[in-house]
Amino acid sequence: MRKYLKNMISFVLIQSLLLSFLGTTIQVQAQPIADPLRLRAEASILVDGKSGKILYEKNAEQPLALASMTKILTEYLIFEKIKENRISWTQTTSISDYAHRISQNLKLSNVPLRSNQQYTVKELYEAMAIYSANGATIALTELVAGNETEFVRMMNEKARAFGMENFTFVNSTGLNNKDLLGLHPAGNSDQENFASAKDTAIMAFRLINDFPEVLTISSIAKKIFRAETVDAIKMDNWNWMLPELVYGYKGTDGLKTGSTDLAGFCFTATAKRNETRLISVVMKAKSYAARFQETKKLMDYGFMNYETKTLFPAEFKVPATPEIPVQKGRETRVGIASEKPLTLLIRRGEDSLYQPIAKLETARIAAPVAKGKSVGKLVAEYHGSEKYKYLTVDGPLREEVPLITTREVKKAGFFKLIFYQIITFFTWLGRKFSNLF
């Protein structure tokens, strides 16, 4: 009897523990996960490098200290001035006292510059892009704008033009103003640049799309500044996710790290695998290594769950709209088809959820019609569960291709035009009479 009671008590206790465990498990599973990637960073975002489609975000609109990721916008303005032929890669410039003094502080990222030397734009740009050299950055801003104060005004103006919303730029480098020896161009003496993860992604998106050649420099893992001179300095890229470096990640070819006491550890990355390019931003990670580890989570998520897919080939005809009416032509209709393939970044396995839609600019066109005339856009209409957003208002327009006419239609001859006018008149008359009754 005593043995029987002992066994019963053990059975009840085990049952209670099992029920308690199952209940806890069910409760945990029922709770929604706010951040499925569990990123250890204050803010982050992952976007399609082609369209700006947002694939993941966490606190993406919260303004945070930007640190040296600021230089993404600085680089954009420099590329813009080169494109406008205002400066050139081979142009040389002298070094101001301000740029010289900042460059001597080796507690910051720097290559020491000499005030009595001339440096090329390319030398200074590579020092900025690869080694985040702050003195070199200031020297470039002074060349472009005359002084850093004017350059900062240009930065804020360009940010607004990009559609950025949560930003403040007070210098061109991303340093805290206290490190600028009282020579800071704007803001308070201890102020820093601020922007959201989304704003930072916009800067990166515009830089690599408007000036893709930036990646030939940002992907350089190691370089000697002023090689074969007494000032030669080894520059190891701070982007340790470049394939040759410590946290090497396949396909990484940019873009910019940053860190200050206020910003923590930040990183804007871009990587390309096959036809898919992703851009990620991680802000205020806990350590030097964490910003790369969290970026890897983002990139893995993107490459594992999304693919670049050709949904509709070139010369594709939308079944519902294979033709468009032609007025005053030898033929009354002309075929229309896509000028090139419509290729999008989509979630893997969801290609069947996209339907072709013809967005026509006009209901009909007048002859003569040339072959290849643009008449609208081919769009892939998504019928899945995701509610995609984009970095910029023109994001959806980057996921369209032109619809063009497939052949020439000449203008009708004189007698045929007269015939069309008679038909048009009687059609109009018939409508009038039908309205009377």
Side-chain angles (χ1 to χ4, degrees):
M1 183 69 178
R2 189 176 299 171
K3 185 177 180 181
Y4 173 77
L5 286 173
K6 190 174 181 180
N7 288 338
M8 282 295 294
I9 291 168
S10 298
F11 177 75
V12 170
L13 283 171
I14 291 168
Q15 261 197 331
S16 299
L17 286 169
L18 282 171
L19 287 171
S20 174
F21 172 77
L22 288 172
T24 303
T25 303
I26 292 168
Q27 185 179 13
V28 168
Q29 289 176 342
Q31 289 177 346
I33 300 174
D35 178 12
L37 299 186
R38 303 177 187 272
L39 290 186
R40 294 175 297 167
E42 187 73 19
S44 56
I45 195 167
L46 177 70
V47 303
D48 172 22
K50 179 183 175 184
S51 68
K53 181 188 291 179
I54 298 173
L55 310 178
Y56 172 90
E57 57 184 329
K58 173 187 175 182
N59 297 336
E61 300 196 22
Q62 178 184 348
L64 293 169
L66 195 56
S68 278
M69 294 194 302
T70 295
K71 295 183 177 83
I72 295 170
L73 185 54
T74 301
E75 290 180 42
Y76 186 96
L77 290 169
I78 291 164
F79 266 103
E80 192 172 57
K81 296 310 174 188
I82 291 171
K83 182 180 179 180
E84 294 169 356
N85 295 318
R86 301 280 295 276
I87 60 173
S88 71
W89 288 116
T90 57
Q91 181 176 344
T92 59
T93 184
S94 57
I95 304 301
S96 70
D97 179 64
Y98 172 36
H100 173 258
R101 290 173 64 189
I102 296 301
S103 78
Q104 302 308 304
N105 185 352
L106 298 186
K107 292 180 180 178
L108 308 175
S109 294
N110 268 314
V111 292
L113 302 173
R114 294 177 183 266
S115 55
N116 61 349
Q117 293 274 332
Q118 293 281 315
Y119 295 83
T120 67
V121 168
K122 188 173 184 181
E123 282 179 312
L124 296 173
Y125 182 90
E126 287 179 343
M128 173 179 64
I130 298 169
Y131 206 50
S132 200
N134 293 291
T137 302
I138 292 167
L140 284 170
T141 67
E142 292 175 334
L143 173 65
V144 167
N147 56 68
E148 192 183 12
T149 301
E150 174 60 16
F151 192 88
V152 168
R153 186 199 64 77
M154 291 165 57
M155 293 175 75
N156 283 288
E157 184 179 86
K158 184 61 69 175
R160 286 188 290 271
F162 281 170
M164 294 166 57
E165 296 179 339
N166 300 292
F167 66 90
T168 305
F169 291 101
V170 296
N171 62 57
S172 64
T173 58
L175 293 172
N176 189 293
N177 273 349
K178 70 175 182 288
D179 293 316
L180 296 177
L181 309 176
L183 300 170
H184 53 278
N188 298 327
S189 59
D190 61 350
Q191 199 169 337
E192 289 189 26
N193 297 331
F194 271 69
S196 66
K198 181 181 177 183
D199 286 340
T200 308
I202 290 173
M203 295 192 302
F205 179 79
R206 288 299 303 268
L207 179 60
I208 66 176
N209 279 282
D210 293 354
F211 305 107
E213 58 269 35
V214 67
L215 298 171
T216 63
I217 298 176
S218 65
S219 60
I220 296 172
K222 299 172 184 288
K223 184 148 190 174
I224 304 296
F225 179 75
R226 300 225 120 185
E228 300 179 2
T229 73
V230 294
D231 293 328
I233 291 178
K234 183 182 177 183
M235 299 188 297
D236 288 349
N237 201 314
W238 294 113
N239 175 4
W240 285 10
M241 284 187 74
L242 291 175
E244 307 93 319
L245 300 180
V246 181
Y247 295 100
Y249 188 83
K250 180 183 175 183
T252 302
D253 51 6
L255 194 58
K256 194 71 195 72
T257 60
S259 61
T260 65
D261 291 343
L262 184 60
F265 295 89
C266 310
F267 183 35
T268 297
T270 184
K272 185 177 182 182
R273 293 184 179 178
N274 299 319
E275 297 304 310
T276 300
R277 176 170 291 284
L278 301 177
I279 298 170
S280 67
V281 179
V282 167
M283 300 186 76
K284 210 163 189 178
K286 300 296 184 184
S287 68
Y288 193 95
R291 60 180 164 189
F292 301 123
Q293 293 161 354
E294 302 312 292
T295 296
K296 182 180 183 298
K297 288 182 189 177
L298 280 171
M299 289 292 182
D300 283 348
Y301 171 79
F303 286 121
M304 287 172 61
N305 289 284
Y306 292 87
E307 63 179 333
T308 299
K309 191 105 174 183
T310 296
L311 298 178
F312 309 110
E315 301 181 3
F316 175 82
K317 290 190 174 185
V318 178
T321 320
E323 299 176 322
I324 188 171
V326 179
Q327 293 177 316
K328 301 179 181 180
R330 291 185 182 180
E331 300 170 64
T332 58
R333 305 184 74 81
V334 65
I336 57 174
S338 58
E339 182 180 38
K340 54 187 179 180
L342 180 56
T343 303
L344 306 183
L345 183 73
I346 65 170
R347 185 175 280 278
R348 292 185 184 276
E350 287 196 345
D351 39 315
S352 63
L353 300 179
Y354 289 85
Q355 300 300 317
I357 300 293
K359 286 172 56 178
L360 298 179
E361 296 166 356
T362 178
R364 58 185 60 82
I365 54 177
V369 177
K371 180 180 179 180
K373 177 180 172 60
S374 178
V375 295
K377 301 287 185 180
L378 170 63
V379 179
E381 190 173 76
Y382 177 62
H383 294 275
S385 59
E386 300 282 351
K387 303 296 181 185
Y388 289 114
K389 298 186 293 183
Y390 295 80
L391 281 180
T392 58
V393 292
D394 68 339
L397 303 181
R398 294 172 181 263
E399 296 188 320
E400 303 175 348
V401 295
L403 283 171
I404 58 173
T405 54
T406 57
R407 65 182 185 278
E408 178 187 17
V409 179
K410 293 182 178 180
K411 193 170 183 178
F414 176 76
F415 291 107
K416 198 164 190 177
L417 288 174
I418 294 295
F419 175 73
Y420 284 156
Q421 288 178 346
I422 292 170
I423 293 295
T424 301
F425 172 75
F426 279 105
T427 301
W428 173 81
L429 201 61
R431 286 173 183 162
K432 282 288 185 183
F433 274 103
S434 66
N435 289 337
L436 291 175
F437 298 98

